[in-house]
Amino acid sequence: MNSLPTPSRPPLRSVLLRSRKHTILGFDPQKLIKYFFGSNASVAIIVLVLIMVFLLREGIDFLPTYQRELQTYRRAGLEFCDIIDQPLQKNQTLSSSLRQALSASLETLSKTARDRRDAAFLLKRQVEDKSARPRESLAQALEKAPQDPGQIDVLRRELGAATAAAVKAVDYPELFTQAEREQLEREFAALTPEVTDLPPMLQTLVEDFNVKDREAKTKFADLVTAQEEFEEAAEPLQEVLDELKAKALETKEKAVEFEVLETNRQRLLEAAATESDPKEKASLTKEAEESVAETVNLEESIKEITGRTAELREQVEKYAVVIEKAAADLPKDAGTGAARKLVNDVREGIPVHAREMRAAAAKLEDWHWDKPVSIFSVMGAFFFGTQWITNSSWQDFFGFVPLLTGSLVIAAIAILIATPVSVVAAIYTNQFASEREKELIKPVIEFIQAIPSVVLGFIGISLVGNLIKDVSEWSWLQWVPGFPIQERLNMFNAGCLLAFMAVPTMFSLSEDALNNVPRAYIDASDALGATKLQTVFRVIVPAGISGILSAILLGLGRVVGETMVVLLVAGNRIAIPDFSAGPGVIFQPAHTLTGIIAQELGEVSRGSSHWQALFMVGIVLFAISLLVNWCARAVARRFEPHKA
Amino acid sequence: MSADFTAQSTPPPVVQVRDMDFSYGASKALFDINLKVQYHRVTALIGPSGCGKSTLLRCINRMNDRVLSARVTKGEVLVKGKNIYDADVDLTQLRKQVGMVFQKSNPFPKSIYENVAYGLRIHGEKNKSVLDEAVERSLTHAALWEELKDRLHANALALSGGQQQRLCIARAIATVPDVLLMDEPCSALDPISTLKIEELMHQLAKEFTVVIVTHNMQQAVRVSDYTAFLHLGKLVEFAPTEELFTNPREKLTEAYLRGTFS
């Protein structure tokens, strides 16, 4: 041991001094590498900050812009007209329900007759279509000036054969008796280009229907009158309102024009003030002078409108009285089935509508044209506004609620579907699957992420939409709320596809969470005699619950931010879904926060209020995503069992 | 069995390993093991690392079943006279009879109460008063009741390491097993906690039969009545502890005890 030579030590001074051998531009290369890596990491943070700054810069001006617009809306008197006009929209809805009820009622008597008539006409057209070519040739031959009897005969025989074959080939529905069928066949076989009258059988069928229809109209006479009364009731009121609206719109246009020219003038004057070249300065000043618009005397215009308040109120009162009378005239429990329900709805709806109209009329008195629009009411109009109306000749409204509801309902559907699927799949894969199954399941589910969302959109439009619609028409599924559905493209469809898209994220993260449950917990449970299922549900899932919850939240983040699928599949109707339909609401179309940006941002002029409104939507979307992600992290921390 | 009875004049062993070979796939881990564990005695398994003492312990409650290729290739393991590797053995019931405590404490991330009650719950016990009573009894046995009775619903992971290990013991004895297997229960604990658990083992032996794997020979001397020495998968010597440590029959045992190899 002692024989080993001790290596000579360097002198102390040189050990402690920093080596100065390798420096690049005066920097230690180690430090340079560190800075390089650090700067790459910070790029992400910088980009995120830039995105926020950019969104805010474009979007934050929205509130003052919208405030100005709403101010004009009020001062020009548009708001005044809307006080009456908005509730009056209800008239259309009620009226259309009534029309539906009426036609449904009439159908109870005339449906068979109409079906027989329509079926006979359809058969006739089918027969004619099948023998179209010889028929056409014969018609041409007959029209020729010198007729060729020989050729006509040949063509007649050909047509006869073709018609006979066609008559045999078409399907006769059950609506006709054997005798009627034979008669139809005979009459169809006799169809030649010279016959212009309807075949006698068809004439009878048409007459049958007319008789039935008249009968039905007599039977439901009170419903017919009520419907007509109701429809006519709004006309005088609408006339007065239309006059006022025209006036208001005119004022608004003038005001807007004035504002544009005035802004322009200010800008020119500013430019002139800073311009040093006297020639240029003079031309700018001249231009500014020319830009003067006729000042709009808002007060005078508004007086023309508010001056007719009394007349308007009177009309509203008259209208309310008339419709209430119509409601009283409506037969109670008229018609059958769907019609009865519609009529009853209208009966109950009309008094409510009348009350709303009267309330609106009372509000007219409290309205002042020069009441300022506060910034809080503008925020309210954006965040709680129920209308998103753009490019309107009347007034644009940027109300956020319809879009938010659409996004939230779709996200809720997607999460409700995706959560059980992905969590159960994760539990199976992690705990029960054999190695070979794992090798199959995991890549397949993760592959879903690679499907471009636009392709999923195709599938949604062509496949899922039709599938849902077809299924909704199965008679034994009619107990499902909302069935049969009206629209192929709806929130449920979008929700299904988004669920499919969220599954990979949620599956992988849940699986990781289960995988991270310490082996020791499973050992302990096994050693106590627990079965596999008991271990999974009493130990592994509870221990991994924080990870699973955070997986669900991150899936939610993915779903809320997804654009392409919802744009293609959600139906894009900008209206708050009708929640009175109960759970069936999910089969209605809607628009979303993401979809509206993608759809409209390309079409609006830069810097307009619409452009700014879309940026506001972007800001809110960004905030929602941040919130969801933050929640996911918070949940992961909150439920994490503290390490021993 | 009856022949054994008369010949030994001692009560029948609770665990009896007979001519057992055990292998992980192609590699054989245990060779021709014969071992009898007596009721209410502490039996220690000692031996150098990798000698198969933990594997032997895990054969007694079939914890090795989870390793896919692991098999008992010869012989049998009788618990209360029944070969536990027979096809008709219910694993759940076996593990209720043979509890286990692991090297590293592993309480569930649940409350103290739920940890102790877990074994009973999975065996279908729902009656609250039965559970309450079992929790109190088990915690008392594990010398934890006085410390913890006021915070039964606190998270078990908030306890100290020694408390956690004693909680694991309480959890294992809550189902009143006949045999309690302990796989180096003190190796991750500080000396004071170790002392507490060693004291506990004497108490536990009054109610249960304990089989303990330890690499600490002093511990084997302190806690056990019988000791088995394993080397390279073979049971070299099995004797009352005092006899084995003071007067080993085998050269190999003597060499190990002297510390010539480890």
Side-chain angles (χ1 to χ4, degrees), chain B residues 204-235:
Chain B
L204 288 172
K206 287 177 189 161
E207 303 266 339
F208 310 97
T209 309
V210 179
V211 182
I212 177 171
V213 164
T214 177
H215 59 242
N216 178 341
M217 281 180 282
Q218 298 316 307
Q219 186 171 55
V221 173
R222 285 195 296 268
V223 302
S224 70
D225 303 307
Y226 292 89
T227 300
F229 169 60
L230 284 93
H231 181 56
L232 295 176
K234 295 195 177 76
L235 190 104

Side-chain angles (χ1 to χ4, degrees), chain A residues 443-501:
Chain A
V444 166
I445 292 188
E446 273 150 24
F447 172 75
I448 295 173
Q449 239 164 359
I451 303 176
S453 57
V454 71
V455 173
L456 280 182
F458 281 148
I459 295 171
I461 291 175
S462 60
L463 196 84
V464 183
N466 287 332
L467 190 71
I468 297 173
K469 185 143 174 67
D470 290 349
V471 169
S472 81
E473 276 154 14
W474 292 355
S475 56
W476 57 275
L477 273 180
Q478 292 311 307
W479 53 270
V480 177
F483 276 16
I485 61 169
Q486 310 291 325
E487 307 281 345
R488 281 184 311 121
L489 302 183
N490 55 45
M491 295 191 280
F492 180 71
N493 191 344
C496 287
L497 289 168
L498 287 186
F500 187 63
M501 292 188 71

Side-chain angles (χ1 to χ4, degrees), chain B residues 14-30:
Chain B
V14 58
V15 175
Q16 183 172 16
V17 183
R18 274 208 283 217
D19 308 327
M20 190 190 73
D21 281 6
F22 182 88
S23 55
Y24 291 109
S27 72
K28 223 165 173 189
L30 294 174

Side-chain angles (χ1 to χ4, degrees), chain A residues 519-531 534-535 538-539 542-543 641-644, chain B residues 61 63 66 92 95 98 100 102 106-110 118 121-123 155 157-158 164 171-172:
Chain A
R519 184 83 212 166
Y521 293 168
I522 304 166
D523 283 345
S525 179
D526 278 357
L528 284 164
T531 61
Q534 284 173 326
T535 306
R538 287 168 187 253
V539 176
H642 26 123
K643 301 276 186 293
Chain B
N61 69 346
M63 278 299 272
R66 281 209 319 236
T92 306
R95 288 177 182 166
V98 185
M100 185 159 185
F102 295 84
N106 54 357
F108 300 127
K110 297 169 184 275
Y118 183 84
R121 284 198 197 276
I122 60 173
H123 291 293
N155 194 321
L157 296 183
Q164 286 193 12
R171 181 175 65 187

Side-chain angles (χ1 to χ4, degrees), chain A residues 397-413:
Chain A
F397 289 107
F398 303 105
F400 177 67
V401 176
L403 308 173
L404 183 69
T405 358
S407 276
L408 290 185
V409 173
I410 291 175
I413 296 169

Side-chain angles (χ1 to χ4, degrees), chain A residues 372-393:
Chain A
V373 180
S374 77
I375 196 78
F376 294 108
S377 65
V378 174
M379 281 160 87
F382 177 73
F383 286 107
F384 304 107
T386 55
Q387 286 179 308
W388 180 277
I389 298 171
T390 55
N391 298 328
S392 159
S393 57

Side-chain angles (χ1 to χ4, degrees), chain A residues 159-467:
Chain A
L159 175 61
T163 320
V167 164
K168 290 271 175 283
V170 294
D171 285 334
Y172 294 86
E174 296 291 319
L175 292 162
F176 302 108
T177 62
Q178 188 61 31
E180 283 169 332
R181 258 185 71 166
E182 280 160 15
Q183 196 186 341
L184 278 174
E185 280 180 24
R186 268 199 306 285
E187 285 177 12
F188 288 154
L191 285 171
T192 55
E194 294 102 323
V195 184
T196 47
D197 284 349
L198 275 179
M201 175 85 182
L202 260 59
Q203 285 180 21
T204 331
L205 289 174
V206 169
E207 191 47 38
D208 278 355
F209 169 71
N210 288 343
V211 169
K212 284 278 179 199
D213 196 40
R214 270 198 298 280
E215 237 174 70
K217 281 198 171 129
T218 337
K219 186 174 170 200
F220 295 106
D222 36 2
L223 196 53
V224 176
T225 17
Q227 196 256 332
E228 279 165 6
E229 267 175 33
F230 185 72
E231 230 157 69
E232 283 162 16
E235 275 168 22
L237 173 59
Q238 196 71 54
E239 248 168 58
V240 178
L241 198 57
D242 283 348
E243 270 176 48
L244 294 182
K245 279 169 83 173
K247 179 74 198 160
L249 207 53
E250 196 188 320
T251 318
K252 177 189 163 191
E253 268 159 20
K254 271 191 205 153
V256 169
E257 196 193 346
F258 172 73
E259 199 178 310
V260 169
L261 288 171
E262 184 62 23
T263 326
N264 192 21
R265 195 170 72 92
Q266 294 295 343
R267 217 174 273 149
L268 285 169
L269 283 177
E270 261 172 45
T274 53
E275 186 58 61
S276 49
D277 182 7
K279 210 168 151 192
E280 280 287 304
K281 192 167 181 162
S283 99
L284 280 171
T285 323
K286 191 159 163 276
E287 221 177 298
E289 275 161 13
E290 276 166 8
S291 169
V292 172
E294 185 190 345
T295 17
V296 195
N297 192 335
L298 286 169
E299 193 163 6
E300 218 163 75
S301 320
I302 208 74
K303 267 191 187 138
E304 282 179 44
I305 295 173
T306 48
R308 295 178 69 177
T309 310
E311 190 191 340
L312 196 58
R313 289 198 64 173
E314 193 187 320
Q315 286 297 343
V316 169
E317 185 53 40
K318 268 189 198 159
Y319 168 73
V321 170
V322 173
I323 59 168
E324 274 173 344
K325 185 178 159 294
D329 286 350
L330 265 183
K332 200 172 183 189
D333 296 333
T336 47
R340 172 180 302 192
K341 190 175 173 298
L342 279 169
V343 172
N344 285 345
D345 283 354
V346 173
R347 273 174 64 88
E348 281 156 30
I350 285 178
V352 177
H353 174 49
R355 259 202 304 286
E356 279 169 5
M357 291 302 294
R358 287 198 175 104
K363 258 197 274 177
L364 289 177
E365 299 290 346
D366 296 335
W367 184 83
H368 294 293
W369 73 283
D370 51 357
K371 197 173 148 208
V373 180
S374 77
I375 196 78
F376 294 108
S377 65
V378 174
M379 281 160 87
F382 177 73
F383 286 107
F384 304 107
T386 55
Q387 286 179 308
W388 180 277
I389 298 171
T390 55
N391 298 328
S392 159
S393 57
W394 178 247
Q395 174 71 29
D396 285 359
F397 289 107
F398 303 105
F400 177 67
V401 176
L403 308 173
L404 183 69
T405 358
S407 276
L408 290 185
V409 173
I410 291 175
I413 296 169
I415 291 303
L416 280 181
I417 298 175
T419 302
V421 173
S422 43
V423 172
V424 169
I427 291 174
Y428 178 80
T429 315
N430 190 261
Q431 290 299 322
F432 298 100
S434 66
E435 282 303 314
R436 190 172 291 180
E437 281 176 307
K438 269 185 205 176
E439 276 168 27
L440 180 74
I441 296 173
K442 283 169 83 170
V444 166
I445 292 188
E446 273 150 24
F447 172 75
I448 295 173
Q449 239 164 359
I451 303 176
S453 57
V454 71
V455 173
L456 280 182
F458 281 148
I459 295 171
I461 291 175
S462 60
L463 196 84
V464 183
N466 287 332
L467 190 71

